[in-house]
Structures are given as structure tokens and as C-alpha cells.
Amino acid sequence: MSIDRLTLGVAARLSRYLQVLTQAKKMGKTSISSQAISEYTNVNPTQIRRDLSGFGKFGKRGVGYDIDMLISQIRKILRTSGQHNIALFGAGNLGQAIAGSGVFGDHGFRIAAIFDVDPDRVGMRVGDVYVRHYSELPQVVATESIMVGVLAVPASAAQAVADDLVAAGVKIIFNYSDALLSVPSDVTVHTSSPAVELLYALYFYLS
Amino acid sequence: MSIDRLTLGVAARLSRYLQVLTQAKKMGKTSISSQAISEYTNVNPTQIRRDLSGFGKFGKRGVGYDIDMLISQIRKILRTSGQHNIALFGAGNLGQAIAGSGVFGDHGFRIAAIFDVDPDRVGMRVGDVYVRHYSELPQVVATESIMVGVLAVPASAAQAVADDLVAAGVKIIFNYSDALLSVPSDVTVHTSSPAVELLYALYFYLS
DNA sequence: GTAGCTTGTAGCTCCCTGTTACAAACTGAG
DNA sequence: CTCAGTTTGTAACAGGGAGCTACAAGCTAC
């Protein structure tokens, strides 16, 4: 036990296992084999068992892994067991879609605040919270312990929001816009790019 | 030259370069160095140059890479230069957000059709096309040469749509719902899971 | 022409991952 | 109770991908 820090590869794979496990749980399954996880993740079954056995003996021979148990174990390994507060920027179609779905909630993220600049949207109820005006950003980040900012705003506004988030002390930004964000080196930006993932899939299909 | 088939790693990295290049182009840049690409992708600059130099000498020493030229070269390498038609399922918030943004269009994908089952949405204009009723799926897939199905539907409907897509001959499915889809082994399913990507980022932040 | 970048490329090493193999443990049928 | 069929946990090995260092060649700007 006692890993200082996971390899990039291991952390990435554990995250993918978590995704499949969460989905499988929703489908009503209670147990799953490394072989089955492999079919959904395209990761070698031996590799999966090796990844997991490095942290303990989680499975039952002849049966597989208990899904609930494995989810909580992986969360523990990734040190993300708790509840993490995130803030969503932009209450347009995308923002509402994100807030309305369980995508973040299922993985321990709570959308603690939603911001917009449009007066028609401020005050509107979206998901579990009311839309606040963008000017409240610094104060809300502090009082709600916001760890992550999710940008569902037009590309033209993205950099400004990123700057304000950085100024407020947020270190992780999830960017749904197609703007290229400049941030200090201690801030992580993750940009969603479904089209690029599609190109990747297409390449192997066309080969 | 003459690579039969790219390695998984190379194809993945080329895709990421493409993402950054596309964004940089939108920001008005015309040229970029391997060092700059590295900062946005976290890929080693030497690795980037090695990846690219395997296919030709695209850069200018002392200057960097011409963005337009590099984009078209990478598209050529990935054999995805042309226009590819995709179909979008679900004209709710998420579907409208996807259709309204340029995320797919910027990478050579054309949303050739949008489907929904809700009579109130059928006939509505979203993006460049009108929403069709779901029952037209088989016919439209054939006439519009649909290569990819994008699922922006509730989890409860996802498997049924996937089955119909498979029956119509579509081999690539992009899944925005959190359903676990079962498909034949020759069909590729890519499930979007922002929360999992966030967990991954969070792990390295907390370490 | 000189200083400063940036590419293209080589060489080396490390370690990640696929593969094969097999004993141990659990389930279910008979 | 026994036996066949799974599936995990683990070892050992090999191949290769990727980081790192280093440096010549070529481009720009002053």
C-alpha cells in the first residue's frame, strides 16, 4: 500500500473503471468481472486486475468484484471520496443541460452555484440552485469553498471568467468553450473536445 | 512515410494537437512552436516534434509551425480530411447546445440531421436543420450517409437508439447519456464523462 | 554578420503494458 | 460431497513507447 502518487496511466485507468462501475450500478448490476470491465474500457483484463490488486484484494475468485465496494475503494485510492463543490458559469442551454443531468452529482461533485450575466436568467432556478449574478463570484467562491469552475459560456467570455476564477483562487477549470485559455502554471485547464475524440475514433474505424 | 496504421498513442496525441491548433487559429494566431503546443497539451516538446517529423518536415526552424498548414497535414495523416455527416438524437437543452455551437463543425463534422420523439420539437429549427421525427432514422441514415450517431437523450432511451443505429449500419456512437450501452464488437461507443475527467484532474491537484 | 530561437534527429534508459501461465478460491450442478 | 467451470491474484518475460539530453542546421531580427 502506501503509494506516494499514482502513475498518470494508473490514475487514468482507475477513473475509467469508475465511470463504467457507476454506469453499471445505475443499470442495476451488483457485481462485475474484470473481463466485463475490459469490454467497456478496452483495457486488458490482466491489467485491470493488476491495477486493483496493487491496493488490496477487492475481488472474489469465481465471482468478480462487488460494484459498490469497488466504487468506494477506487474513490478512496483517488482521494476524492468526499463532496466537492463546483461552480457553473453560463445558464444557457449547455449550463442547464449540465445542471439538470446527474453527470457531476453521481461522482461526488455538487453544483453549489450557477452564474450568468443576463438579468433575465439571474434568479431563475436551474437544477438545485438559483442563478446568481456573475459579480458575486469572488464572494461565493470563498463562502462555498468552490474547488472547480466549469465554463459553459461563449468563447468570447471564457478568458475573462478564467482570469476571475484564478484571481479568486480556483485551481481547476473545466472548459466547455472552444477558447484557448491562458492561465498560470499552477492552474489546470481541461478543455472538452468531443469532436477531437470523434476524429480519434473515426481514424481507427477508417483504417 | 507510409505508416500502415498509427499507434494508439500517436493518434491520440495528434488529435490533441489538432484541438489546440484549431483553438489557436480561432484566437487569430498563425504560427505556433512545439514549446507552445506543449504548454497546452502537457506533451513533451521533443515528443511533439518527433511525432510530426515522422510524416514530413512541416516546421520552420527558428519560427515554428504554420497553423493552417499543420492542421491540414494532421487531418491528412488522420485520414479525416473530408466532411463527415453525423446525426444528433435529442433536441433538448443538450442537443440544442451541441447544434448551436461550432464544436463539431470546426472539425469537419456536419450535423446532417436532428431527431426527437417529442411532437412539440419536431419541425423546430435547431442550428442549420429542422428536427425530424425519430421514426425517420433508417431512411435518413441511408440518404444522408450518416457515419456517427450522437446521443443527447435520457439514459432510459439511449440503448434503444443505439440498437436502431446499429441496425441502420452506423458503426460509431458518441454517448452523452450515462447509460452503459451494449453493442456488437464492431461498433465503437465513446461515452462522454466530464465528471470522471474532473476526478482525474482533482487527484493530481490534491497530491 | 552575429545572437537567439526552434526544428529535426540521434541515442540511451526506464518502466509501462501486453502476454502467457498457473495456483487458489468461489459457485453451482449433479 | 465431488467435480466442472469461473474468475481472481500473481509472477515472469519481452517489446516498445516516451522522457531526457544533446546538438547541428536553418530561420529571424537587429
Side-chain angles (χ1 to χ4, degrees), chain A residues 6 12 15 18-19 23 26 78-80 93 103 176 178-180 190-191 193-197 199-200 203 206, chain B residues 6 12 15 18-19 23 26 78-80 93 103 176 178-180 190-191 193-197 199-200 203 206:
Chain A
L6 305 181
S15 303
L18 202 52
Q19 175 194 352
Q23 288 178 317
K26 277 211 163 178
L78 291 175
R79 296 182 212 164
T80 49
N93 278 325
V103 268
Y176 275 104
D178 53 359
L180 197 58
H190 186 96
T191 299
S193 50
V196 171
E197 295 168 34
L199 279 179
Y200 178 71
Y203 171 75
L206 295 176
Chain B
L6 304 182
S15 304
L18 203 51
Q19 175 194 351
Q23 288 177 315
K26 277 211 164 178
L78 292 176
R79 296 181 213 164
T80 49
N93 279 325
V103 268
Y176 275 104
D178 54 358
L180 196 59
H190 186 96
T191 299
S193 49
V196 172
E197 295 168 32
L199 278 179
Y200 179 70
Y203 171 74
L206 294 177

Side-chain angles (χ1 to χ4, degrees), chain A residues 75-96:
Chain A
R75 286 230 180 100
K76 210 175 292 175
I77 296 169
L78 291 175
R79 296 182 212 164
T80 49
S81 306
Q83 192 79 330
H84 301 284
N85 288 339
I86 69 182
L88 180 59
F89 295 85
N93 278 325
L94 182 56
Q96 291 182 39

Side-chain angles (χ1 to χ4, degrees), chain B residues 126-150:
Chain B
V126 174
D128 294 332
V129 297
Y130 291 94
V131 177
R132 301 172 190 245
H133 190 268
Y134 181 68
S135 56
E136 297 183 51
L137 190 166
Q139 167 208 335
V140 174
V141 164
T143 59
E144 297 279 351
S145 304
I146 300 294
M147 299 198 63
V148 178
V150 178

Side-chain angles (χ1 to χ4, degrees), chain B residues 22-89:
Chain B
T22 309
Q23 288 177 315
K25 179 181 176 176
K26 277 211 164 178
M27 309 291 283
K29 298 189 182 181
T30 59
S31 162
I32 194 168
S33 70
S34 59
Q35 177 64 43
I37 300 177
S38 170
E39 278 159 23
Y40 292 112
T41 59
N42 295 317
V43 175
N44 196 292
T46 308
Q47 183 68 39
I48 296 174
R49 295 202 298 277
R50 182 159 43 189
D51 282 340
L52 296 175
S53 73
F55 303 98
K57 307 197 179 190
F58 302 142
K60 263 190 188 163
R61 299 172 193 242
V63 182
Y65 299 90
D66 179 79
I67 291 182
D68 280 331
M69 189 272 243
L70 195 51
I71 288 176
S72 79
Q73 288 292 348
I74 293 180
R75 285 230 180 102
K76 211 175 292 176
I77 296 168
L78 292 176
R79 296 181 213 164
T80 49
S81 306
Q83 192 79 330
H84 301 283
N85 288 338
I86 68 181
L88 179 60
F89 295 85

Side-chain angles (χ1 to χ4, degrees), chain B residues 142-204:
Chain B
T143 59
E144 297 279 351
S145 304
I146 300 294
M147 299 198 63
V148 178
V150 178
L151 272 51
V153 299
S156 55
Q159 182 66 55
V161 178
D163 290 343
D164 291 343
L165 280 168
V166 169
V170 173
K171 300 294 188 198
I172 302 179
I173 295 176
F174 198 97
N175 176 28
Y176 275 104
S177 85
D178 54 358
L180 196 59
L181 301 179
S182 294
V183 296
S185 62
D186 64 334
V187 175
T188 303
V189 174
H190 186 96
T191 299
S192 162
S193 49
V196 172
E197 295 168 32
L198 214 48
L199 278 179
Y200 179 70
L202 198 57
Y203 171 74
F204 289 101

